[in-house]
Amino acid sequence: MRHMPQIAHVDVNCFYASAERAFNPSLEGRPVVVLSNNDGCAVTRSPEAKRLGIAMGEPWFKLAPRAKEWGLVALSSNYELYGDISARVMELLGRFSAWLEVYSIDEAFLGVKGTPAELLALGRDMKTTVRRNVGVPVCVGIAPTKTLAKLANKWAKNNTAFDGVCHWDSVPAADRDSLMRRLSVIEIWGVATRLTKRLNALGIHSILDLSRADPVMIRDRFSVVMMRTVLELQGTPCIPMEEERIGRDQLIFSRSFATPITTAAGIRQAMSVYGQQASARLAKHGLQAKVLTAFAGTSHFNPKDTSYPSVCVPLPMPTADPVLLTKAAHALLPRIVEGIRYARAGIMVTDLRPTGNQAPLSLFENPHEERHVGTLLEDITRRYGRGSIGLGHGGIRGGPDWTMKRDMLSPRYTTHWDELPLVKAA
């Protein structure tokens, strides 16, 4: 058989919960949920938690009264641990192919070649290697296209007969058609609820229906993107591999507050921190922004006081300067109502372009930009941790308690010296 190019999709099972179990084996076999920012709602559920009927996004205050009865373990999001585990998984996967696309924190695409038998062996090797060296379980789907590879991965994850690895072309065509006939189009990559309703109106209900649709008709009724999905389901690669996924259209820095902020001074400090973070992220990726939008809002569960101020500020030039970004974010402050309990705030920078793409006239040159202040902040933060440096109000210690609440945080085993795991031999 010819060695045809294929795409492998590797996905960590219940990533956050699996990362916690890698360092705390006592969690194996127990229902585990990992909570969102400020311990709000369940964003990851172990298989045992799913069997209890716990839905994605279920608020913790509703689960807490029955947690002891169920034996449910709830953990705060340990982003430092998850980021490090993700980096280790991706580094390992990069050894299997020079063609690696890190799609998200817990999944990646790899370009692979070989016969069906060789590809199945490769998939099992990936699965075993990640489990042995990092301690988290993964499933592997291998197919001619990205869309089919994700579908194969979903099949491998939900059918124990595959043992976590599914090569699409090795499965009999009748079985593949049977699977796609049973699955709604909403299960396919990139198809959401609204699009599902429009497809249903055309008589397209299952993935099999979509795979047999006329690509030209789909393009005319929907979009070129949707046409590519149909072609991918038919086995024609249309979604190329990307070396690096960086959001080049916009960057958003926003977070809910552990304790609501009721003063403009408190919002000023939050805006200053977000401006500094935006500057560091832009500098890291060699980008500059031309527009900044700042916003704040009260909780949806607080119907008594509602306020959702926002402001859009065109910047004088494309910039990643923390001083300019912070000043622009402070344009929101006159719209803050004192005494109102603001539950969240943030900034969004848009109209991004590569640094140095358009050199400003000498009259408009920014001294902070020339001194690479944004890059300096990023370097110091990376070396000494977040909160080690700040500009203006972004560097004030103390103040309102608006930082994220993580009352059930597990140790950051791999990134903090004082939280490294201890191993004792009897």
Side-chain angles (χ1 to χ4, degrees):
M1 296 181 64
R2 292 186 300 155
H3 288 226
M4 300 297 292
Q6 300 269 292
I7 294 176
H9 176 249
V10 184
D11 181 34
V12 182
N13 304 340
C14 302
F15 177 55
Y16 289 179
S18 295
E20 298 284 357
R21 284 174 166 173
F23 289 91
N24 187 357
S26 68
L27 298 176
E28 292 286 350
R30 301 174 64 186
V32 177
V33 293
V34 177
L35 305 176
S36 62
N37 292 345
N38 295 317
D39 296 339
C41 58
V43 293
T44 292
R45 302 155 297 152
S46 69
E48 297 82 4
K50 294 177 183 178
R51 286 196 288 270
L52 289 173
I54 297 174
M56 176 67 78
E58 189 80 9
W60 171 240
F61 73 85
K62 291 185 178 181
L63 298 174
R66 300 193 64 185
K68 186 175 181 180
E69 172 191 346
W70 289 337
L72 179 65
V73 179
L75 297 166
S76 302
S77 294
N78 192 338
Y79 298 117
E80 297 89 341
L81 175 65
Y82 307 151
D84 186 64
I85 293 296
S86 173
R88 294 171 187 240
V89 170
M90 300 309 166
E91 191 276 331
L92 272 179
L93 293 178
R95 302 179 187 181
F96 291 92
S97 174
W99 194 16
L100 172 70
E101 176 189 333
V102 178
Y103 184 71
S104 69
I105 192 172
D106 63 343
E107 58 182 321
F109 292 101
L110 295 89
V112 293
K113 289 184 179 181
T115 64
E118 291 170 341
L119 291 174
L120 280 170
L122 179 64
R124 295 188 186 104
D125 194 11
M126 292 180 191
K127 177 176 175 284
T128 302
T129 300
V130 173
R131 182 65 167 176
R132 182 179 62 245
N133 291 281
V134 184
V136 295
V138 302
C139 284
V140 183
I142 303 174
T145 70
K146 278 186 171 181
T147 303
L148 288 176
K150 282 187 74 78
L151 186 58
N153 190 302
K154 182 189 293 285
W155 203 359
K157 188 174 296 185
N158 293 284
N159 190 325
T160 56
F162 290 111
D163 192 27
V165 180
C166 174
H167 179 237
W168 186 257
D169 290 339
S170 296
V171 179
D175 292 343
R176 299 199 302 261
D177 288 350
S178 176
L179 170 74
M180 292 193 292
R181 185 179 295 109
R182 296 195 307 269
L183 294 177
S184 166
V185 287
I186 200 171
E187 298 289 339
I188 204 65
W189 185 31
V191 178
T193 303
R194 185 177 299 178
L195 191 54
T196 297
K197 293 179 179 178
R198 294 179 60 193
L199 289 168
N200 292 166
L202 295 176
I204 299 173
H205 298 276
S206 69
I207 294 177
L208 185 64
D209 294 335
L210 184 60
S211 70
R212 292 177 174 176
D214 178 11
V216 176
M217 181 274 290
I218 293 295
R219 180 198 63 191
D220 294 341
R221 292 290 189 95
F222 298 92
S223 65
V224 172
V225 174
M226 198 63 212
M227 181 186 73
R228 290 173 182 163
T229 297
V230 174
L231 291 172
E232 289 247 324
L233 287 173
Q234 295 173 354
T236 301
C238 296
I239 305 175
M241 296 282 285
E242 302 177 24
E243 292 184 2
E244 186 177 12
R245 295 181 58 85
I246 299 174
R248 298 186 183 277
D249 296 327
Q250 63 183 26
L251 291 174
I252 300 176
F253 299 83
S254 176
R255 183 166 291 168
S256 299
F257 304 135
T259 301
I261 294 179
T262 59
T263 65
I267 296 293
R268 179 188 291 112
Q269 184 178 3
M271 291 290 104
S272 300
V273 172
Y274 293 148
Q276 175 179 317
Q277 292 177 354
S279 171
R281 184 74 60 82
L282 289 169
K284 177 180 178 181
H285 295 305
L287 296 172
Q288 295 177 320
K290 190 66 174 64
V291 178
L292 182 144
T293 301
F295 55 89
T298 53
S299 171
H300 296 294
F301 299 100
N302 179 19
K304 181 180 178 181
D305 296 320
T306 58
S307 177
Y308 301 95
S310 65
V311 61
C312 183
V313 182
L315 298 168
M317 67 193 79
T319 183
D321 174 27
V323 176
L324 289 181
L325 294 177
T326 300
K327 286 182 178 179
H330 286 175
L332 178 70
L333 300 179
R335 305 190 182 194
I336 297 298
V337 181
E338 295 281 342
I340 294 291
R341 293 168 58 86
Y342 290 97
R344 69 182 188 279
I347 67 171
M348 176 174 65
V349 289
T350 55
D351 193 2
L352 307 185
R353 56 196 69 186
T355 300
N357 192 42
Q358 180 180 356
L361 298 174
S362 57
L363 180 63
F364 300 100
E365 287 180 350
N366 187 344
H368 305 106
E369 204 93 59
E370 293 177 355
R371 296 169 184 169
H372 306 289
V373 175
T375 304
L376 176 64
L377 292 175
E378 169 67 13
D379 292 342
I380 293 175
T381 300
R382 187 187 305 114
R383 182 170 182 179
Y384 296 105
R386 182 169 293 182
S388 57
I389 188 173
L391 298 177
H393 292 275
I396 295 177
R397 298 285 182 179
D401 182 20
W402 56 270
T403 54
M404 183 171 58
K405 179 176 69 175
R406 294 192 288 180
D407 291 339
M408 294 170 279
L409 183 67
S410 59
R412 294 160 292 185
Y413 297 101
T414 62
T415 57
H416 286 65
W417 284 107
D418 56 346
E419 298 180 23
L420 291 178
L422 299 177
V423 179
K424 299 180 180 179

